[in-house]
Structure formats: C-alpha cells, structure tokens
Amino acid sequence: LFTASSYSFILSISEEEARVKALNEYLSTRSYIQGFTFSHADVEVFRKFSGPPVDQYIHVVRWYRHIEAIYDGSSEKNEPCKLQTSKGKRVQPPWSPPEGTKHSKLCLYNSLTRSKEIFQPQNGKKVLWYCCGPTVYDASHMGHARSYISFDILRRILRDYFKYDIFYCMNITDIDDKIIKRARQNYLFERYRENKLTPNQLLEDVRTASELFSVKLNETTDPDKKQMLERIQNAVKSAFDPLQEAVQAKRPAEEVTRCHETLLEEAKDLLSDWLDAKFGSQVTDNSIFSKLPKFWEGEFHKDMEALNVLPPDVLTRVSEYVPEIVDFVKKIVDNGYGYVSNGSVYFDTMKFDASEKHSYAKLVPEAVGDQKALQEGEGDLSISADRLSEKRSPNDFALWKSSKPGEPSWDSPWGKGRPGWHIECSAMAGSILGESMDIHGGGFDLRFPHHDNELAQSEAYFENDHWVRYFLHTGHLTIAGCKMSKSLKNFITIKDALKKHTARQLRLAFLMHSWKDTLDYSNNTMESAIQYEKFMNEFFLNVKDILRAPTDVTGQFQKWENQEVELNKNFYDKKAAIHEALCDNIDTRSVLEEMRSLVSQSNSYIAAKKSSRQMPNRLLLENISSYLTQMLKIFGAIESDDALGFPVGGNSQNINVESTVMPYLQVLSEFREGVRQIAREKKVTEVLQLCDALRDDILPELGVRFEDHEGLPTVVKLVDKDTLLKEREEKKKIEEEKKRKKEEAARKKQQQEAAKLEKMKIPPHEMFKSELDKYSMFDENGFPTHDTEGKELSKGQIKKLKKLYETQEKLHEEYLQMVQNGTAN
C-alpha cells in the first residue's frame, strides 16, 4: 500500500498523534484491502504503533485491524517481518454443534399395559387404525359422540400435528341381537297399530302384557334397570286409568280417542315385548331386519357430519362380510380353537388360554368368569338355557349362532345361522388391515368381553400374539353425574344436543377433558366450553381489527421493544409446552389451558400498548393468532380455510363474509365517528342518541358489533347474531338492575331523611316521655330521673342520657331554623 516516498514521509513524523492523523488522511484516498501481501513499508509503519489506534481515525483503525489479522503476531521489534501470504492463510477455528435439548416422543395410554407407552408404528409413519363403530338400531346419542369425537380429535392430531399417515377403518354392526329384536318389535307393533283396535280390546291387551312385564320386573336385579322398568310401568298405569274411566263413563268420542292414543304410545315398550313373545317367531322376511339398521346408519352418518367427525377411509358392514366371517370361523375351528355344538360354533377359551403362545383376556384378566358381562356380550336372544347348555365352558362365546325362527339367517357349513357379535370386528378388520394393526379404538365399556374376545379369536386365526399393538379406550360419559345408557332410556341424542349447543362447543367441551377419563355432560361443562369459545373469539376479533388498520408495506415491520421480546418469548415457551402436552398422551386439556394463557398474555400486551397510545406489533400478533387458529383447525374446532380465528356466518358459507363486508362496515364506522364528533362539538344529543341506537339496536341484528373507545378508533367486529342479541339482553338486564338498585338507594335515602326530619321535630323535653317502659319519673325539662321500678337513675345512666338529650337539642334547633327558612319540607 505504501510507496517508498510515503514510507519516508510517514516515518519522518516523530509525534505519534500527528503521525496517525497523517496516516488517516493518506489512507482515506486509497484502497488497502486488496490481498494478503503487504509491503515492508506497511509493516514498518504498523510496528511503530504502541497499541491499537483510537476509533476517531476510522481509516487507520480498519488498516491496522486488517494487517493485524494476517500478521503473524510477533511483537518483538528486532524480529524480521513475518507476513502470512496466500500460501499460509488463516484457517477457521474448530466448530462443534450445540448440545440441543432432548426431543419428547409421543406416548399413548395403552390399555394392553394400562400405562403410557412410546408410540412406535410397525411400518415407518404409516398407522393402521381400526375403530369399533355403532350398532345401528336407534338414534345416536352423546355416548356415541364421546367416543367418535374423541377418536376424531386423536386421529386429526396424529395425522396433522405428528404427520402420521393414517389408514382408518370403522365398522357398522347391522346384524345383532338388539337389531333383530328391535326390528321385529317395531314391525309387530306397527301392524298392531294398523289393526285399529277398540279401546276395550286395547285395555285388555295392556292388562295381559302388564302381567308378562311384571314378571320381567320382578326378575330384574340391576337397580338402574329396575328403576327404568318401574318408570315404564307407572307411565302405563297413568295412561291406562283415564282411558278405562272414559270408556266406563261413556265420555265423548274425541276424549276416548285422545286417551286411546296416549295409552298406545305409553304402552309401546310393554306391548312390543308381549307381541314379540307371542308372534316373534313368525317374522321371517330378512328385509325387515335390514330396513331398520339401514335407516339408523344413515342418521348416524348425518350426525357425524354435523359434529365435523371425519369419515373413515374404509367402512365395513357386517351384512356385507358374512362370507368372510364364515371363512374366519372355519379357520379358527381348523386351528383347534373352536368347536361346533348344535349348529352353532363356539370359541374354546380354555384351550386357547392353555396354549403357550396365547393368553385370554389380555385387557381385563380379572373379569374372566363374570357371567353377567359375558351374557351381555352374547345378546338377549342368545342366553336361553338351551343356548348356554351348548357351551363346554361358561366362558366360551359364540362365533356363529344357529338361527331360530324369527331371526335372519345365512348359509354356512354348520347350517343356517348368523355371526356372533365379537367375530364381526375380527373378520372385517383382518380382511382390511391384515394380521396386525397399530391402533384399535373403542369405548371403555367394550374392553371385556368384546375386545378381549376380539383379541383371542383374531390371534387364534393368525396364530400370533400381536393382533393389536396399542388399544385405546375412550372414557365414559355421564349426564349431570348420572350413568348414561340407551338400554336404560337415560340418554340425550346427538340431534337434541346440537339444538342446544354448536358442534364446536361440544368439541371444545371434549377437548377440555382427557380423552380416556369420564366426561360429565352437564350445564357447567358446556358453559365452560361456551366461555372458552367466546374468550378465544374476542381475541381473534381484536387482532383482526388491529391488522385492518391502514399501513404501507414498510409500516407492517415495527421496531421490537422489551414488550415484544417478552411476548415472543412467552409465545415460544407456550408452543413448547403445548408440544409436550400433546406428546403426553394427547393431553388436550393442558393444551387448551396453555392456549388460554397465551391469549391472556397477548391481551395484556395489547391493552398496555393501547393505554400508551401505541400500535401493537402487527406481525407478532398475527403469528400468534395464526398458530392458535392452526391448532384449533388440527383439533377439528375450525372447518374453514380462514387464516385467523373462527369463521363468520357459519362453515357453510361459500364466500368469505368478513373480507366482503368489512370494507363497507369500516366506511360506516368512520362516517359515524365523524358525525359523533360534530354532534359532540355542537351538543346535538339527538344525533348522538341515533349513533348509539345504530350501535346498540340495529347492527347487532345484522351480526355486527361496534366497540367505542375514548380517544381511539371504533373497533368493528363480525360476531354471531344470536351471540350479540344475547349480549344485548344481558346488558339490558344489567342496566335495569343498576337502575333498580339506584332507585332503591334513592328511596332508602329519602326514607332515612324523612325519619331524620321526624326525629328533628321532637323537642328534647318530649323525647324520653314516650319511653314509659323504661322510665317512671321526669324533671321539669322532661329528663328521666327514675326507672320503672321507681329507683333513681345512676350517674352513668344520667351521663349517657344527657349526651342523647344534648344531641336532640342540636337537631331540634336545626329543625326550627329550617322552619324559619322555609326548607323544612
């Protein structure tokens, strides 16, 4: 860099600061970063420095640092120059990766071990999943919702959060003892109704049916079932007596007909049982047994769609898999684990359990021998004495049942018959998913005997011990603390539940509880879900309002202060906590609490910014809102493609209502604010009242909320119309209560003032004379001297009374002054 002439010139300056100044001026006109080789002149000048130059000489500083970086570092003045050339470049220092943190793995509660286990699919990210579907003989109820919404949440999280490739199979049980009995009874009762019996004949039949019903009631030992049967009996009696009385009294035909229809409806269960016992064996048309499940399957799918439950990838119906079921049973028999008895085929539990490679009742081994559970698993039509006598062991269960008269039947090597309940799932799941699946799901009450029998017969068929790797069971559902049961007629249908609450609110209620624990469906549970939805929605609406504030392209990038850094740290902490909770057996309850906490922190940040008249950071709030929205989408609580928050106008809208109408509402808001400003300045209260009426009465009817804030622009929000109207009613009630309390306080104050005035009117010499129950003698000023017994008052009593007397003197003087001034009224 330095030439010979500049070398001599720089070195000739003896005073160091002057030399540095001259060097800085010289370097300002030259480029000194051209390579790695410097002249000896550069080095000689460099070695004249006693230390690094001061920062004010920027060119010298840069020159000094550059030479220092490639100079070999020798500080000895008498050593020859040693420069690193292109042949000896400085090398990068060693690098080592950060230690990092331990990655959490997804764990699921496995009923096969009754503990949380690390989830490891058999084939990479692919997950084979089978879920027990409904037995379709009646309306789907909240017990079904408990299971299918919960599994839908788990399925979505595994698929969309953990990125597993889910293959989901579910069955429909359309051949079953319950279906056969219900279909037969419905058919017989409808024919009975069509006969249009006389009132006397109906009364006679109900009497006869009641005798059979009473026997059933007396034989019932289960207290819940007994209570249910007693309710039916009482309802029938309440309808029987009015019809009997109307017939005997020869009441008008209209009244008799009304009583006739009431009894027919109330006695439906009782008459159906009686008709089935009498004529059930005569029902032979198989279409009667397929019509009922087909109808209720359709209703089930509609309910699942209304609840936003994803459809399965494969749906299997028992009626379509009878040939596969027959082959499945044949192989179990061939493998030595089944036997034929009187046209039926049973599973040999003792032989299976005795095998070294098999174990019976893996899920609930302590339930083996529970005859009540076993008989419930076999079905009402399969527990007669002759059926039970066909088994080698009471623990054995039917793989194939020979059909009796009045039951549907299919051909098999063992004669006409139908599948047992447990074999249906095994055969259908096996035909689709093969010899081993990753996950099998179902309700908690299916563990024994249904799922234990499924495991036994499937492992007997495939001769393995791992038909299911992870068994997941959803918890029970209670109604306001009481057991829910369709057979006990204590249930709420999904359709009825959706009349009171939205699908999102029901899903949030389930998300707020562990999927494997009991959930109580009650007003408190649903109110918690409603408040959570409202809390989240208000946050989304506030963020949308902030994002709508006009700004240019660069304006969206705002400087971060400590508040933004802190909120962002909290954001990432919450994301980490949410991940941990999801890894911990899909703990959605903790997830929702972490999300609530994040929103609370964000709300505090927004409030602090607004109170200091600062704009909240748009990108940070947008990132937080987008994340929360995405999580709610993963959980199935948001169906739409909206970027932020809950959809406006319902999920069925084909257009984005918010983006369409918001520009117009913004213009209306700004126009209204301008009008209010002028009205305040001109003190035109009528115009201000009209602006308030627009906000409070007109816009809520359209699902629009205007929020006025002093000194800030009006916040515009699109909210569900019903929610706004409810808010308006609540606000009205609060205002009315405030008004009532204010009026009550004014009335009390008026009463107190009136009482005080009356007291003031009493002259002090009269105030004690009315208290003859306390005093018997008074002095000339009306002051008490003796008590009722004639005893003279003590000094202490007199002192106390004297204070009261003096106080009254002052009050009375004040009253006389008021009279004189004309203000006593």
Side-chain angles (χ1 to χ4, degrees):
L1 290 178
F2 285 107
T3 62
S5 60
S6 60
Y7 169 81
S8 301
F9 169 69
I10 297 295
L11 289 177
S12 67
I13 303 172
S14 58
E15 201 270 315
E16 183 168 354
E17 186 173 352
R19 187 168 64 248
V20 172
K21 187 175 180 182
L23 177 60
N24 192 67
E25 188 175 341
Y26 176 82
L27 291 173
S28 68
T29 62
R30 284 162 174 74
S31 171
Y32 47 87
I33 306 177
Q34 295 180 349
F36 298 95
T37 305
F38 290 86
S39 70
H40 285 282
D42 283 297
V43 175
E44 289 303 315
V45 173
F46 172 77
R47 294 178 69 174
K48 282 283 186 181
F49 282 88
S50 58
V54 294
D55 289 346
Q56 75 182 82
Y57 300 113
I58 185 169
H59 298 291
V60 176
V61 170
R62 294 170 66 187
W63 170 86
Y64 183 93
R65 288 176 180 170
H66 197 69
I67 292 184
E68 186 182 43
I70 60 174
Y71 183 50
D72 75 344
S74 174
S75 60
E76 296 299 325
K77 304 293 182 181
N78 57 358
E79 286 186 6
C81 301
K82 295 180 182 179
L83 295 177
Q84 295 185 23
T85 65
S86 57
K87 292 183 180 180
K89 296 179 184 179
R90 286 170 62 93
V91 296
Q92 290 179 306
W95 178 88
S96 58
E99 290 184 11
T101 56
K102 186 179 178 182
H103 292 289
S104 296
K105 294 183 178 180
L106 171 61
C107 292
L108 295 175
Y109 184 87
N110 188 359
S111 296
L112 286 165
T113 62
R114 299 187 188 178
S115 60
K116 296 175 188 176
E117 306 289 354
I118 293 174
F119 181 60
Q120 181 61 59
Q122 299 174 106
N123 184 16
K125 298 288 281 186
K126 186 177 181 182
V127 176
L128 300 179
W129 191 332
Y130 182 82
C131 182
C132 275
T135 300
V136 282
Y137 69 97
D138 206 338
S140 303
H141 51 69
M142 286 303 294
H144 292 120
R146 170 59 171 146
S147 187
Y148 299 119
I149 291 178
S150 296
F151 280 127
D152 186 66
I153 292 168
L154 297 182
R155 177 186 176 189
R156 287 172 183 269
I157 291 171
L158 262 66
R159 184 191 70 176
D160 299 333
Y161 185 85
F162 290 105
K163 305 302 180 182
Y164 287 106
D165 184 7
I166 309 288
F167 184 64
Y168 196 84
C169 177
M170 188 181 80
N171 77 294
I172 293 288
T173 297
D174 57 356
I175 301 173
D176 180 79
D177 286 38
K178 291 189 182 90
I179 293 172
I180 295 167
K181 191 173 180 181
R182 178 66 62 87
R184 214 162 56 190
Q185 289 184 346
N186 285 356
Y187 170 74
L188 292 170
F189 184 76
E190 286 307 314
R191 286 185 60 189
Y192 179 81
R193 185 193 283 272
E194 289 167 6
N195 288 336
K196 295 184 179 178
L197 299 169
T198 64
N200 282 319
Q201 185 60 56
L202 176 60
L203 289 167
E204 183 59 34
D205 288 346
V206 170
R207 279 194 202 95
T208 306
S210 294
E211 293 173 6
L212 182 67
F213 192 82
S214 295
V215 173
K216 181 179 177 181
L217 177 59
N218 292 332
E219 291 175 350
T220 301
T221 56
D222 182 279
D224 291 326
K225 191 171 183 181
K226 197 175 190 75
Q227 191 178 35
M228 181 267 292
L229 294 175
E230 286 171 348
R231 284 200 304 269
I232 294 173
Q233 190 179 56
N234 293 335
V236 171
K237 189 175 188 313
S238 297
F240 183 92
D241 293 343
L243 178 59
Q244 188 178 46
E245 186 181 335
V247 171
Q248 290 173 350
K250 297 182 179 179
R251 298 273 171 80
E254 286 183 8
E255 185 178 344
V256 172
T257 301
R258 180 174 52 79
C259 292
H260 184 280
E261 286 301 314
T262 302
L263 177 58
L264 198 59
E265 195 59 40
E266 293 293 345
K268 181 179 178 180
D269 290 331
L270 184 144
L271 287 168
S272 296
D273 274 346
W274 172 65
L275 291 168
D276 190 47
K278 195 174 181 181
F279 305 111
S281 61
Q282 299 175 18
V283 180
T284 55
D285 185 356
N286 266 15
S287 65
I288 293 170
F289 302 106
S290 61
K291 185 179 177 183
L292 178 80
K294 186 176 182 180
F295 172 80
W296 286 118
E297 182 193 335
E299 293 300 300
F300 169 78
H301 291 314
K302 290 175 188 175
D303 288 341
M304 292 301 103
E305 185 178 2
L307 291 172
N308 193 29
V309 171
L310 294 170
D313 296 311
V314 178
L315 183 81
T316 60
R317 299 182 184 89
V318 177
S319 59
E320 297 171 348
Y321 277 79
V322 174
E324 288 84 350
I325 292 170
V326 169
D327 290 342
F328 205 91
V329 174
K330 281 171 67 178
K331 188 173 179 183
I332 292 175
V333 173
D334 291 344
N335 287 350
Y337 298 111
Y339 59 90
V340 181
S341 178
N342 200 26
S344 295
V345 183
Y346 293 94
F347 188 83
D348 194 331
T349 54
M350 292 179 68
K351 188 168 183 182
F352 178 81
D353 199 46
S355 170
E356 288 185 5
K357 55 187 174 182
H358 295 306
S359 180
Y360 179 61
K362 289 182 175 182
L363 292 167
V364 196
E366 64 270 25
V368 174
D370 183 346
Q371 291 306 306
K372 181 182 176 184
L374 288 165
Q375 289 183 20
E376 284 179 1
E378 291 295 80
D380 287 348
L381 303 179
S382 308
I383 55 174
S384 59
D386 58 323
R387 284 283 200 199
L388 295 175
S389 65
E390 295 173 354
K391 301 180 182 183
R392 292 177 183 172
S393 164
N395 295 329
D396 295 349
F397 55 90
L399 300 172
W400 183 265
K401 303 175 182 180
S402 62
S403 291
K404 298 177 183 177
E407 297 178 1
S409 62
W410 287 263
D411 291 327
S412 79
W414 318 285
K416 291 277 189 181
R418 56 190 177 88
W421 178 33
H422 313 299
I423 196 68
E424 298 169 349
C425 288
S426 292
M428 292 187 292
S431 67
I432 300 296
L433 304 179
E435 67 174 17
S436 183
M437 69 184 77
D438 297 291
I439 297 175
H440 191 321
F444 183 83
D445 55 337
L446 294 178
R447 293 179 311 150
F448 184 87
H450 185 52
H451 286 157
D452 266 327
N453 288 351
E454 275 188 36
L455 283 166
Q457 62 203 6
S458 298
E459 293 178 358
Y461 177 89
F462 290 110
E463 284 288 12
N464 67 21
D465 63 348
H466 53 265
W467 185 58
V468 175
R469 298 294 188 172
Y470 298 83
F471 235 124
L472 310 184
H473 289 101
T474 54
H476 284 302
L477 181 128
T478 57
I479 299 177
C482 299
K483 179 183 176 183
M484 198 216 73
S485 169
K486 186 184 283 188
S487 61
L488 298 178
K489 299 186 181 295
N490 173 38
F491 66 95
I492 297 172
T493 66
I494 291 172
K495 284 183 173 60
D496 285 341
L498 285 172
K499 289 175 185 175
K500 293 179 67 179
H501 303 106
T502 65
R504 182 188 301 130
Q505 288 163 355
L506 291 173
R507 187 170 287 251
L508 286 172
F510 287 20
L511 285 162
M512 293 170 81
H513 293 77
S514 168
W515 60 268
K516 76 176 190 67
D517 296 335
T518 298
L519 184 150
D520 187 44
Y521 178 69
S522 63
N523 290 334
N524 287 341
T525 299
M526 293 313 303
E527 185 58 30
S528 296
I530 291 167
Q531 290 306 317
Y532 189 92
E533 178 189 43
K534 186 176 180 181
F535 177 73
M536 298 297 290
N537 193 42
E538 282 301 311
F539 172 68
F540 289 135
L541 292 173
N542 287 330
V543 172
K544 286 178 182 179
D545 180 70
I546 291 167
L547 296 179
R548 278 195 296 270
T551 184
D552 55 22
V553 175
T554 57
Q556 63 184 312
F557 302 102
Q558 300 155 273
K559 182 186 176 185
W560 280 36
E561 305 288 354
N562 288 339
Q563 288 172 300
E564 283 75 28
V565 172
E566 183 66 23
L567 179 58
N568 191 59
K569 180 182 180 301
N570 290 335
F571 176 29
Y572 277 83
D573 287 346
K574 292 302 177 189
K575 285 204 286 188
I578 286 169
H579 179 72
E580 289 295 319
L582 289 175
C583 286
D584 185 15
N585 196 38
I586 318 292
D587 181 8
T588 57
R589 180 176 183 172
S590 295
V591 169
L592 261 62
E593 283 306 310
E594 296 291 353
M595 290 169 65
R596 187 201 298 272
S597 176
L598 176 58
V599 170
S600 294
Q601 292 167 353
S602 301
N603 285 340
S604 298
Y605 164 77
I606 294 169
K609 282 289 184 180
K610 287 192 173 182
S611 67
S612 59
R613 296 290 189 271
Q614 292 179 301
M615 188 67 181
N617 190 288
R618 298 160 61 99
L619 281 180
L620 178 54
L621 290 174
E622 186 175 15
N623 286 341
I624 292 171
S625 300
S626 296
Y627 170 76
L628 293 171
T629 301
Q630 184 58 30
M631 293 308 298
L632 289 167
K633 284 181 179 178
I634 288 172
F635 298 156
I638 296 178
E639 294 179 62
S640 72
D641 295 327
D642 290 22
L644 294 182
F646 299 128
V648 177
N651 295 318
S652 60
Q653 297 286 336
N654 293 322
I655 58 171
N656 189 320
V657 176
E658 192 163 13
S659 63
T660 304
V661 304
M662 195 53 76
Y664 301 98
L665 292 174
Q666 207 70 45
V667 170
L668 174 63
S669 170
E670 291 167 6
F671 175 76
R672 173 177 170 271
E673 187 54 38
V675 171
R676 289 175 76 217
Q677 184 66 32
I678 295 169
R680 278 195 293 262
E681 291 170 359
K682 303 291 184 182
K683 297 182 179 178
V684 187
T685 55
E686 292 85 359
V687 173
L688 288 171
Q689 288 171 355
L690 282 173
C691 290
D692 288 347
L694 176 68
R695 177 195 63 201
D696 298 335
D697 301 326
I698 298 170
L699 291 178
E701 294 283 352
L702 302 172
V704 178
R705 184 199 288 156
F706 276 10
E707 294 178 359
D708 294 326
H709 299 278
E710 190 65 36
L712 295 170
T714 297
V715 176
V716 183
K717 296 178 179 178
L718 288 181
V719 185
D720 178 64
K721 176 184 170 182
D722 291 337
T723 300
L724 286 180
L725 295 181
K726 188 177 178 182
E727 285 179 2
R728 188 172 72 182
E729 286 303 310
E730 288 173 356
K731 185 180 176 183
K732 191 175 177 182
K733 285 179 183 176
I734 292 170
E735 288 174 352
E736 287 175 353
E737 182 64 17
K738 270 182 168 179
K739 185 180 177 184
R740 187 191 66 76
K741 286 182 177 179
K742 190 175 179 181
E743 290 173 350
E744 179 69 17
R747 186 178 61 79
K748 284 184 178 179
K749 186 179 179 182
Q750 192 176 9
Q751 288 174 345
Q752 289 169 353
E753 289 176 351
K756 182 181 177 182
L757 184 63
E758 289 301 314
K759 186 177 180 182
M760 292 169 74
K761 289 179 181 180
I762 302 171
H765 62 271
E766 295 288 339
M767 65 179 292
F768 294 118
K769 287 183 178 180
S770 61
E771 299 180 13
L772 296 176
D773 58 330
K774 296 179 181 179
Y775 316 108
S776 60
M777 295 180 68
F778 304 88
D779 65 12
E780 66 276 8
N781 294 320
F783 195 87
T785 57
H786 295 75
D787 61 18
T788 50
E789 295 178 359
K791 293 179 182 178
E792 194 173 339
L793 297 178
S794 68
K795 287 182 180 180
Q797 288 175 309
I798 290 171
K799 186 178 179 182
K800 191 174 180 182
L801 293 173
K802 195 169 184 179
K803 282 185 180 179
L804 295 173
Y805 189 90
E806 288 170 354
T807 301
Q808 187 62 26
E809 273 186 322
K810 291 178 183 178
L811 284 173
H812 190 62
E813 284 173 12
E814 188 180 339
Y815 169 72
L816 294 175
Q817 188 64 44
M818 289 168 64
V819 171
Q820 190 175 343
N821 296 336
T823 59
N825 295 325

